[in-house]
Amino acid sequence: METKNILKLLSVMFLAVSTLLFTGCDDENDGSTGETELLSFGPTGVKHGEEIIFVGQNLDKVTAISFAPSVEVPRSAFSSATNREIRLVVPDAVESGKVVLKTGNGDIESKTVFSLEVPVTITSITPEAKPGTNITITGDKLNWIETITFPNDLLIEKSAFVSQSLTELVVTVPMEAQTGFLAFTSGGTEPLEFESETALTVKLPVVTALTPSAIRHAADLTLTGTDLDLVTKIAFPGGTSVLKSAFKSQSETSLVVTVPTNATNGKLTLTAPSGVTSQTSGSITIVLPIVTALSPASTMDHDPGVTLTMTGTDLDLVKSLTFPGVATPVTSFVSQSSTELQVVIPNDVQGGTLVITTIHNYTLPVTVPFGDQLTLATVIYDDAIKNPLGAGGGWGGVTTDPNSTENVRLGTKAIKVTFAGSWGGGAQFGNWSTGQTVSTAGRSYYAFSIFGGAGTAGKKINVNVAGKQIQVPFEEGKWTDVQIPLTDLNSPAGINEIWFQDTGWAGVVFIDHIGLK
């Protein structure tokens, strides 16, 4: 092959390699015009600290080259400069962007963007921060970071960074951020996606004191602590939550909230903007009316028209009293103070649980027994046979269910008795022949409660205790509390058998809370 042809081939090969290594700018014409022209620069994927080559015409007229964001390299810092080529080392501060060649006749801007391959490194991140405050990230090439994603998928774009430089980046922690690792993306010819090696701890509100710890419903509770301005919701025990908009006051160290009227004793649960919850170490105790004694103390005197005196604490909170067997609550009292309340016992009252409704419409039972059936000294049946009379059962066509939950006077169970309509059958507990006996020593009454089923209005039940029979009236659709003096039963020393019989009628009754008092 001739020498001339060999030179032509080498020239074509050089141009092909140049096309692969350099970025074309399309800024020139094929012929020289005497003006400075930029043809290409490269190689693609150059890194900071490496050499970049600019190819063109009349490049000896270039006085400086400017890179994004505002890094200018003067001619004196070029590695070399000729008419056709300029070489220089890429400064660390250079970022992706257009390149500008400075000349005495004006600036020449590249049509293509100059980018680099950038190995971003992070050396430290603020370990703990409060939502809404700034954290600082240090490292190298941090000016190439494009986005930061906080836990809870909160993406922060470059435009929202507080500040950004080669070695430091400052960003505000989103209010909804949670504790966890940060995710980064960076630019360059080979964009990176990576996570922080250490987690960012996002602060939560902390309560150090609840004042007062014993508090009434609808009163103001003060929470003292740190970062309490982050609280968006407080959940009280009892199921009611109070939102931020309803707080009486709120700061970093103090928060005042009104206690809901259905709150109960326990710890509070705080919710942060992220939705993360935390619980107070201390608890609140709701101040409620407490009845410590009833006067008259004898349940025999708890009759309609009698003035009942309650003594206790915080009785001024009582709005109404619901007596067992009485549908309408009593709201009119003889007298009332924080330590004493007097009320006239209403008609139709029965033994059972007396219920208080407070001025905040919170209901609670009186713990002091009211009425016969809560003061039994000896229990024979209370959800189960409690004394050695045996489980018993029905005879003569009568069926019994001692575990019925259909209609209960007290507790969770009662005895359901279905009578066949003949004196020849009944419900029986114990057996005189076995010798099993409940002592009556120190007791004065035999007591039980009976509820009449449908169609039993005006009926009586035959009660047989220790061989003595007494017919007792009861009511349809309501509980009747019965107490029979043991003297009416010939004052037995013990009871070894009890019966309940119909008096010739068929129907259903429920019997509960059988015993002695």
Side-chain angles (χ1 to χ4, degrees), residues 137-457:
I137 301 166
T138 62
D140 190 33
K141 307 297 187 298
L142 301 186
N143 52 328
W144 286 82
I145 291 179
E146 297 292 329
T147 66
I148 301 176
T149 303
F150 284 80
N152 212 15
D153 294 326
L154 301 173
L155 180 68
I156 308 300
E157 301 281 356
K158 183 183 184 80
S159 59
F161 296 166
V162 176
S163 64
Q164 186 177 27
S165 68
L166 182 69
T167 58
E168 182 181 276
L169 190 155
V170 178
V171 65
T172 302
V173 179
M175 292 301 296
E176 299 81 8
Q178 299 178 5
T179 294
F181 296 89
L182 306 185
F184 300 88
T185 64
S186 67
T189 56
E190 295 186 19
L192 302 176
E193 294 183 6
F194 58 97
E195 278 194 347
S196 60
E197 293 184 357
T198 58
L200 171 68
T201 299
V202 178
K203 290 184 177 182
L204 293 173
V206 175
V207 174
T208 56
L210 298 169
T211 309
S213 58
I215 190 168
R216 291 185 173 193
H217 288 129
D220 288 342
L221 176 69
T222 300
L223 287 66
T224 304
T226 57
D227 300 313
L228 299 183
D229 54 325
L230 294 176
V231 179
T232 61
K233 182 174 68 175
I234 300 176
F236 282 80
T240 297
S241 294
V242 180
L243 299 179
K244 182 183 183 78
S245 58
F247 297 165
K248 299 292 286 291
S249 66
Q250 186 177 23
S251 68
E252 281 191 304
T253 57
S254 177
L255 191 157
V256 179
V257 63
T258 300
V259 177
T261 56
N262 66 340
T264 57
N265 300 340
K267 298 180 178 182
L268 311 185
T269 299
L270 312 180
T271 301
S274 61
V276 175
T277 60
S278 59
Q279 199 170 62
T280 60
S281 57
S283 299
I284 60 169
T285 300
I286 301 298
V287 175
L288 295 170
I290 297 176
V291 177
T292 56
L294 299 178
S295 179
S298 172
T299 58
M300 288 298 296
D301 296 324
H302 290 171
D303 295 325
V306 172
T307 296
L308 180 70
T309 300
M310 299 179 173
T311 55
T313 57
D314 298 293
L315 299 182
D316 55 322
L317 290 174
V318 177
K319 181 176 75 172
S320 66
L321 293 168
T322 301
F323 285 83
V326 181
T328 303
V330 176
T331 58
S332 179
F333 307 139
V334 176
S335 65
Q336 184 179 21
S337 70
S338 62
T339 57
E340 182 181 280
L341 187 150
Q342 290 187 324
V343 61
V344 176
I345 298 175
N347 294 329
D348 299 324
V349 69
Q350 300 177 21
T353 301
L354 194 155
V355 176
I356 289 175
T357 300
T358 73
I359 58 176
H360 303 114
N361 295 317
Y362 187 88
T363 59
L364 67 156
V366 173
T367 57
V368 177
F370 176 84
D372 302 330
Q373 303 313 110
L374 291 182
T375 57
L376 296 178
T378 301
V379 176
I380 295 175
Y381 176 89
D382 181 7
D383 290 348
I385 297 295
K386 300 294 178 69
N387 275 283
L389 291 185
W395 51 276
V398 176
T399 60
T400 62
D401 178 6
N403 297 306
S404 175
T405 58
E406 290 181 41
N407 204 332
V408 178
R409 179 69 180 87
L410 294 170
T412 60
K413 299 175 183 177
I415 304 169
K416 181 180 180 180
V417 182
T418 304
F419 291 113
S422 170
W423 277 85
Q428 177 185 11
F429 297 90
N431 191 317
W432 63 270
S433 63
T434 64
Q436 297 171 320
T437 301
V438 177
S439 175
T440 61
R443 310 298 182 234
S444 300
Y445 299 92
Y446 170 68
F448 64 92
S449 295
I450 182 169
F451 183 97
T456 60

Side-chain angles (χ1 to χ4, degrees), residues 119-133:
V120 177
T121 57
I122 292 176
T123 56
S124 71
I125 298 175
T126 302
E128 184 179 34
K130 179 180 177 180
T133 63

